[in-house]
Structures are given as structure tokens and as C-alpha cells.
Amino acid sequence: MTPEQSQEVWGSLFSWVRWLVATYQLTTSVVPDCWWRHPEMVAELYALQRAELASYTTDDPGFGPLTFHERLPHAVERLRVHSRTAGCVGMQVHKEPAPRILATDDPAFLEWRKAAHQLVAEY
């Protein structure tokens, strides 16, 4: 994204998250103040934003908003898990996550990836 596109996308998401938190009275144990610093929360909130926006399209037969509200509790629970894992809520301060990068040179994986891993029915 260009810097201009980035500002627009982040501004839109921030405004929407602010609306979501206020409308549904979500606590910091669901959406901490530093949500934007946690990629897993950003991904969840962005997906939720897109789902909510799609639920109000002109071609929706009327089930979109209901579907959004049916899925909202599941998203809230996932956000709660992400917040608990991040550890920012109890401390009331942002805790920088330690990145976990999987090794690409594990000899066992390098050998494993050579196999087809397909189940073939024997007749």
C-alpha cells in the first residue's frame, strides 16, 4: 500500500473499531487499547469489519445483519483469547509480543516435504 492508502485503511479500521467498542460496550479484555499493535487482533477486527460492511449491501435479502450478529459472539470470544494471550490487559500497558518464526531448515521437515502425503485407496 502507498502511505496514503495505508492512512485511509488504518483510519477507517480505527474508526470502525471505535464504533464497535462503543456500540457493543466491549471491555479492554476483548479489545485492549493497543489492539492495533497485535496482528492477530487486527486480522480479527478487519475480518469483522468487512463482514459487518458486507451485511448491509443493497443486494442482501435481509439476512446479512442477522448473520453478522450471529457471528459476533464468536469473534468476541476469539478477541478475548487473543487479548488474554497478549497479556496487555492485566498489566494495563502494551506488552510487545515475542515473534515466533518457524525454522525453514529443520532436516525432518525437509525430508517430510518430499513425500506426497496423499491417501490413496488401494483396490
Side-chain angles (χ1 to χ4, degrees):
M1 285 191 289
T2 66
E4 293 79 18
Q5 290 170 322
S6 181
Q7 281 199 330
E8 183 177 330
V9 169
W10 279 105
S12 173
L13 182 59
F14 186 87
S15 295
W16 187 85
V17 170
R18 190 172 180 202
W19 166 84
L20 180 76
V21 167
T23 301
Y24 295 96
Q25 301 177 11
L26 301 177
T27 64
T28 58
S29 66
V30 176
V31 180
D33 293 346
C34 59
W35 64 268
W36 49 272
R37 297 177 82 175
H38 298 278
E40 69 281 12
M41 288 184 216
V42 170
E44 185 74 43
L45 289 163
Y46 181 73
L48 198 55
Q49 176 198 33
R50 303 306 302 165
E52 194 264 341
L53 291 173
S55 73
Y56 290 99
T57 59
T58 55
D59 61 342
D60 177 68
F63 297 108
L66 180 60
T67 301
F68 171 76
H69 284 98
E70 288 172 345
R71 293 180 178 179
L72 182 61
H74 301 291
V76 167
E77 187 54 36
R78 286 190 301 269
L79 284 164
R80 186 174 280 117
V81 169
H82 292 317
S83 294
R84 189 171 36 247
T85 302
C88 300
V89 176
M91 297 171 34
Q92 296 302 321
V93 64
H94 173 69
K95 178 182 172 190
E96 195 62 36
R100 179 174 176 235
I101 308 298
L102 297 176
T104 58
D105 59 349
D106 181 325
F109 172 72
L110 295 176
E111 188 61 33
W112 177 85
R113 75 179 186 175
K114 293 177 186 176
H117 302 288
Q118 297 295 320
L119 295 177
V120 178
E122 293 183 22
Y123 296 97

